[in-house]
Amino acid sequence: MRYRLTFMTGMAVGYVLGARAGRERYEQLRKWAQRLAQNPAVRNTAESAAHGGRQAAVKALEKVRPLRERIGQREERGMEEDDWGTSNT
């Protein structure tokens, strides 16, 4: 469903940008888009999608934070054991 909605939105934007239907058709599409954006179901869906995105970001941060801490500890020790720098040979 999400992909269908994305496709339809892209079609509408492409039509508006590429059409030569004139100002009247543009105004019709603009009013339709405003009604759609003000629809409570659309607003709830957008809000829950944003909430889900925030939750995914928090989970990703929880997984990355321990890695960052390990990298920080490794930098404190120094890079002698696995130095990937340039050599003088």
Side-chain angles (χ1 to χ4, degrees):
M1 181 69 181
R2 184 179 88 197
Y3 298 107
R4 185 180 305 171
L5 181 62
T6 303
F7 177 76
M8 295 302 290
T9 303
M11 290 284 291
V13 169
Y15 180 78
V16 169
L17 294 177
R20 301 202 185 272
R23 186 72 177 179
E24 293 173 19
R25 183 65 178 152
Y26 169 77
E27 290 297 330
Q28 284 178 340
L29 289 171
R30 189 176 64 80
K31 286 178 185 177
W32 176 80
Q34 285 177 340
R35 280 196 311 262
L36 181 69
Q38 292 172 355
N39 184 334
V42 172
R43 294 181 122 189
N44 289 340
T45 302
E47 187 176 316
S48 62
H51 183 67
R54 285 190 293 272
Q55 286 180 334
V58 168
K59 285 182 181 178
L61 180 61
E62 289 172 358
K63 292 192 182 261
V64 170
R65 189 170 282 150
L67 296 173
R68 290 186 62 177
E69 289 172 2
R70 282 197 293 184
I71 290 171
Q73 291 170 356
R74 193 165 131 205
E75 288 176 356
E76 290 172 6
R77 281 195 312 240
M79 298 281 293
E80 296 86 25
E81 62 208 34
D82 58 348
D83 188 9
W84 288 83
T86 58
S87 66
N88 293 330
T89 57

